[in-house]
Amino acid sequence: MDAKSNAVFWQEKWERGETGFHEPQANPLLTCHISALDLPAGARIFVPLCGMSQDMVWLAGQGYHVTGCELSDIAVRRFFSDLGITPDIVDAGPLRCFSAGTIRIFAGNIFDLTPDLLGPMDAIYDRAALIALPEDLRRAYAAHLLSLTGPVPELLVTLDYDQSCLKGPPFSVDEAFLRECYGQAYAFTLLESRAVEGGLKGRCPASENVWRLSPFPPSS
C-alpha cells in the first residue's frame, strides 16, 4: 500500500465511523510507563497519528504540553468537541493547527509536517502510529519522525504476532525491525510485554510490547 492509498484507507475509516481502535480512556501502558522517560515538568510530548486519543488528555493533565498530528480532520474536530472545547484553528502550511490550553493537534498528513511547524519536542509517545503503517511506509515514517524531533526519548507500544494470520492493520513490529529503523539513534529497553487478552481480533495470539527508546549520547 502506497502513501496515498494508506491515507485514503484511514480517511474512509473515520468517515464511516469505523473507530473500534479508539480507546475511551488513557491507555494503562502509558499511565504505567511514562515515568520511564524521566521527563521534567512541562515537557513537550509529540503524539503522532493521534486520532482522538484520550492519552493526550491524560498527558496534559499531568502537566505536559502535548502536540498531536492526525490525518483526519473529523477525528481532530471530534476530539475537541467531546471535551466541550472550541479550539483556535490556524492554517499551518498544508496542515491546519487546532489548539486549546496545552494541547495542539496538526490535522493533515504527517509527512507534510516540518520541524519548523512542529517546534522543539522533549519526547515522543507512539502507541498506534508505527503499527498502523505497512512496512514500506513504516520505514519512511520512522525516518521522518527522526527528522522532525531528532533523537528524543520515546515511549513506543508495538504488537508482535504471526503476520500471516492477519493482514493488518495493526501490523506486527518486532525488535529486529525497530533496530533496523531506529538502531543508529537509540538504545532499546523492553519495559513490559503482555499477551493480548483473547488474541488479536480474537484470531491469533499476540503480545503487546512497551519499549523505551533512549537516545545515544552525542559523540564527543
Side-chain angles (χ1 to χ4, degrees):
M1 184 184 295
D2 60 20
K4 183 176 180 180
S5 299
N6 185 72
V8 170
F9 172 85
W10 287 108
Q11 291 280 26
E12 289 180 346
K13 274 197 170 293
W14 283 105
E15 289 168 4
R16 293 192 299 262
E18 296 175 358
T19 57
F21 49 83
H22 173 67
E23 296 182 342
Q25 62 276 320
N27 189 288
L29 296 176
L30 167 66
T31 60
C32 286
H33 294 294
I34 188 65
S35 59
L37 298 187
D38 195 25
L39 298 173
R44 298 158 297 190
I45 301 178
F46 183 43
V47 185
L49 280 60
C50 60
M52 50 187 190
S53 173
Q54 292 302 298
D55 294 345
M56 293 186 288
V57 178
W58 185 84
L59 286 167
Q62 305 307 300
Y64 299 118
H65 291 261
V66 183
T67 296
C69 187
E70 167 54 40
L71 179 67
S72 171
D73 191 90
I74 294 171
V76 179
R77 291 182 182 277
R78 184 172 162 189
F79 171 82
F80 286 105
S81 175
D82 286 353
L83 293 176
I85 294 172
T86 301
D88 294 324
I89 306 173
V90 297
D91 290 334
L95 308 173
R96 198 176 301 177
C97 184
F98 295 68
S99 61
T102 56
I103 298 177
R104 63 174 179 156
I105 303 176
F106 289 95
N109 194 316
I110 192 170
F111 290 103
D112 291 330
L113 186 61
T114 65
D116 286 343
L117 287 174
L118 180 61
M121 290 289 121
D122 300 306
I124 298 166
Y125 168 58
D126 181 339
R127 183 187 71 80
L130 190 68
I131 62 174
L133 300 170
E135 188 169 336
D136 287 348
L137 274 182
R138 213 179 301 146
R139 289 188 173 89
Y141 160 81
H144 184 59
L145 196 60
L146 278 169
S147 75
L148 286 174
T149 64
V152 296
E154 178 172 346
L155 190 68
L156 172 64
V157 181
T158 62
L159 286 167
D160 197 353
Y161 66 93
D162 183 353
Q163 189 74 79
S164 67
C165 292
L166 288 170
K167 289 178 60 178
F171 295 96
S172 179
V173 177
D174 61 16
E175 182 176 354
F177 188 87
L178 293 182
R179 292 189 180 280
E180 176 189 339
C181 290
Y182 292 120
Q184 297 300 312
Y186 288 108
F188 299 83
T189 304
L190 180 62
L191 300 174
E192 182 180 347
S193 180
R194 67 180 187 184
V196 175
E197 188 175 350
L200 186 62
K201 299 184 179 181
R203 293 172 59 185
C204 69
S207 61
E208 200 166 22
N209 300 325
V210 188
W211 298 90
R212 182 183 69 212
L213 277 58
S214 303
F216 291 129
S219 55
S220 55

